[in-house]
Amino acid sequence: MNKALLDPALREDSLCEGLVLSGFGGFYQVLTAAGEKTCKPRGRLQKDEGGIYPGDTVRLELLSATGEGGVDGMIIQVLPRFNQLQRPKVANIDQAVLVLAVDDPPTDWILLDKMLVMAAYNQISPLICFNKCDILSPEEKESFLKLVSPYQEVGIPLVLVSAIKGEGIDDLLSLLRGKISVFAGPSGVGKSSLLNRLYPELNLTTGKISQRLGRGRHTTRHVHIIRMEEDTFVADTPGFSLLDLPEALMLSQLPTLYPDFADHGSCRFDGCIHYKEPGCVVKQSVAEGLIDEARYNRYLKIYDELKDREVKYHD
Ligand code: GDP
Ligand code: ZN
């Protein structure tokens, strides 16, 4: 996150930088050192390809008096993005909170691994969040933590929480601080409940009603970036589509998106995809128990799925 833009010292005359929180109908809410401002893009910028996304850092010129339609300033430039998501549109995301339930619905491990691939592909740091830990007994919780330790061992942060009982929420909050985060995950795992717990003013619909209204409701909504604390921001929609593997993802890229496979030495062949090649240090490390076997087996499944897709693509 560009912290500099919240620094009042950056204010020079009427020119300043701001963080776009939301946009609708050609008007944008922009957070500046001088507070939240309603802005319009200046002339040509409006038609530029790419447009203006929530999460963008923009340069703007503040008007000396609030103009027509309550406009406080004009956006004159969108600064380069370090990443962007398309559905829904949002830019410069620091962190994706990948939410799953410990049960009900049962943890979908392959989906978790696909979301991790998606996050790595988009250069967004992942945070794994297992919700509904209140339904586990202390013994079950212990064995669940063992089950998920391979993720922590490769440096992926992980929290066990209960949106209903409040357990782990402080840990989650401290991992959100200083960042712009989005929440992603399948339906029914408690994403809306978590966002409501963190920021009650959101008042998102949860449970069966929201499921019946369908995911479309979330995904077609305009994203608002909510300032939860001084420098803690979350997107107010639980519908981020990190669930499908990106269309542009190439087979050869897949192994590079696994932190698990780094630091085990070099395979015999350059560009080894750690599948059936001889002299593969990744396969060797799986055999030696240095890489989690279950996660490696899911990697092979994801690889096969991508391969099928490429075959279809080129037919
Ligand atoms: P979403 O589809 O991921 O946004 O999930 P919701 O927030 O709508 O929650 C789905 C269901 O799980 C609802 O019936 C919630 O009451 C329930 N739920 C959410 N969080 C928890 C939790 O921490 N513990 C338990 N036991 N149930 C939860
Ligand atoms: Zn290899």
Side-chain angles (χ1 to χ4, degrees):
M1 191 171 81
N2 182 356
K3 286 194 179 151
L5 59 86
L6 300 176
D7 181 358
L10 259 182
R11 255 187 288 171
E12 58 170 73
D13 303 331
S14 61
L15 272 184
C16 68
E17 283 187 7
L19 169 70
V20 177
L21 298 176
S22 63
F24 189 73
F27 293 89
Y28 296 85
Q29 286 307 113
V30 183
L31 181 67
T32 73
E36 216 179 287
K37 303 289 179 189
T38 302
C39 300
K40 271 177 77 167
R42 170 157 290 164
R44 215 165 54 86
L45 193 59
Q46 217 155 357
K47 298 187 207 80
D48 272 359
E49 236 181 293
I52 302 171
Y53 287 13
D56 269 329
T57 301
V58 291
R59 299 209 79 204
L60 46 100
E61 196 177 331
L62 293 179
L63 305 175
S64 46
T66 299
E68 223 176 288
V71 174
D72 306 305
M74 306 300 288
I75 298 173
I76 52 177
Q77 190 188 1
V78 178
L79 299 185
R81 297 175 182 143
F82 61 81
N83 63 31
Q84 61 187 55
L85 294 173
Q86 293 300 339
R87 280 181 298 146
K89 287 185 187 339
V90 66
N92 300 325
I93 295 307
D94 297 303
Q95 175 167 268
V97 185
L98 310 177
V99 187
L100 290 151
V102 295
D103 200 0
D104 187 30
T107 310
D108 186 339
W109 299 102
I110 197 142
L111 182 69
L112 171 59
D113 289 359
K114 281 184 185 173
M115 290 198 290
L116 286 166
V117 164
M118 259 313 255
Y121 178 81
N122 286 297
Q123 290 169 41
I124 305 176
S125 302
L127 164 59
I128 302 174
C129 177
F130 284 106
N131 187 32
K132 310 199 185 185
C133 73
D134 55 281
I135 58 182
L136 298 181
S137 69
E139 297 76 35
E140 287 170 328
K141 200 173 155 189
E142 193 94 336
S143 33
F144 192 83
L145 280 170
K146 276 210 191 95
L147 194 63
V148 297
S149 62
Y151 291 100
Q152 288 173 298
E153 279 158 20
V154 296
I156 303 171
L158 187 152
V159 280
L160 240 68
V161 303
S162 165
I164 300 278
K165 296 272 162 69
E167 204 179 324
I169 296 296
D170 286 344
D171 297 335
L172 175 59
L173 186 57
S174 68
L175 290 162
L176 298 179
R177 292 208 170 101
K179 299 185 178 118
I180 303 181
S181 303
V182 299
F183 280 59
S187 199
V189 296
K191 297 179 298 298
S192 311
S193 307
L194 275 173
L195 282 166
N196 283 341
R197 179 95 199 187
L198 290 162
Y199 196 79
E201 290 92 324
L202 267 180
N203 210 1
L204 293 171
T205 321
T206 61
K208 290 204 172 63
I209 303 162
S210 86
Q211 279 170 41
R212 204 165 17 196
L213 287 175
R215 305 175 55 77
R217 199 177 63 95
H218 290 309
T219 44
T220 54
R221 267 184 56 204
H222 288 267
V223 179
H224 293 244
I225 290 179
I226 304 288
R227 188 185 204 179
M228 277 192 348
E229 286 179 2
E230 181 63 20
D231 62 349
T232 306
F233 298 86
V234 294
D236 70 339
T237 165
F240 279 91
S241 48
L242 287 175
L243 308 180
D244 305 311
L245 291 170
E247 272 169 34
L249 172 61
M250 305 295 292
L251 264 180
S252 57
Q253 256 179 307
L254 188 64
T256 66
L257 303 175
Y258 277 72
D260 325 42
F261 301 165
D263 307 326
H264 291 281
S266 305
C267 299
R268 188 183 303 164
F269 298 108
D270 277 350
C272 181
I273 42 104
H274 323 310
Y275 203 97
K276 290 179 178 152
E277 300 92 332
C280 171
V281 295
V282 167
K283 276 195 299 175
Q284 180 64 30
S285 303
V286 173
E288 288 169 10
L290 298 170
I291 291 176
D292 183 57
E293 190 174 8
R295 189 152 140 85
Y296 174 72
N297 288 336
R298 292 194 293 273
Y299 162 76
L300 296 180
K301 275 197 185 152
I302 294 173
Y303 184 89
D304 286 339
E305 192 181 310
L306 266 184
K307 191 166 180 174
D308 282 352
R309 201 177 71 175
E310 278 199 0
V311 170
K312 278 194 202 114
Y313 207 65
H314 294 295
D315 268 355

